[in-house]
Amino acid sequence: QLELVESGGGSVQPGGSLRLSCAVSGVTLDTLEEHAIGWFRQAPGKEREGISCISGTGTSTNYADSVQGRFTISRDNAKNTVYLQMHSLQPEDTAVYYCAAQLRVICGAYHYADNYDFWGQGTQVTVSS
């Protein structure tokens, strides 16, 4: 059983940056490498959107068109943590951001929430002037 806890959310002005962290517990070092980790977001009144995913070993990443070139996903398995670095934030990036873990190494169809088995509680990101 994995537990995921997001942190790093907050309020920022348009054009600003934030780095989100997803701390994973309930695994050993070897086991965490078996899990692809994804980031989703959900804005008020909208469906949850899969925005990025990183494979278990960190060698493969995926990004939604909406964040490509602005967001970077990375992981440090030794620290049991996955990061989402966000640059050039805009008001439309305002949402609750969630990390989630798959029961496989590769991301596969990373944007489908049903492919993920463990979820964090979310962290709020607000972009406004």
Side-chain angles (χ1 to χ4, degrees):
Q1 185 78 13
L2 300 183
E3 293 185 3
L4 294 83
V5 179
E6 303 93 339
S7 61
S11 296
V12 64
Q13 293 185 341
S17 299
L18 283 174
R19 188 177 79 158
L20 304 183
S21 298
C22 174
V24 184
S25 61
V27 295
T28 63
L29 173 61
D30 290 339
T31 305
L32 185 58
E33 292 179 342
E34 298 173 0
H35 297 279
I37 304 291
W39 284 95
F40 286 72
R41 65 185 182 185
Q42 188 165 20
K46 294 188 177 181
E47 293 186 355
R48 189 168 296 191
E49 176 190 16
I51 58 173
S52 187
C53 184
I54 187 166
S55 63
T57 56
T59 55
S60 177
T61 57
N62 303 89
Y63 297 96
D65 290 343
S66 57
V67 305
Q68 179 76 48
R70 300 188 298 125
F71 292 9
T72 302
I73 192 170
S74 62
R75 66 192 295 160
D76 185 340
N77 286 342
K79 296 183 179 180
N80 287 353
T81 303
V82 176
Y83 305 97
L84 186 68
Q85 179 68 57
M86 306 185 295
H87 294 297
S88 301
L89 286 163
Q90 299 301 319
E92 53 265 34
D93 294 314
T94 295
V96 177
Y97 284 70
Y98 301 88
C99 61
Q102 295 193 24
L103 286 175
R104 54 184 176 180
V105 176
I106 61 174
C107 291
Y110 73 94
H111 50 288
Y112 286 117
D114 288 348
N115 285 340
Y116 295 81
D117 300 275
F118 305 99
W119 290 81
Q121 82 291 346
T123 186
Q124 176 70 47
V125 172
T126 302
V127 185
S128 69
S129 54

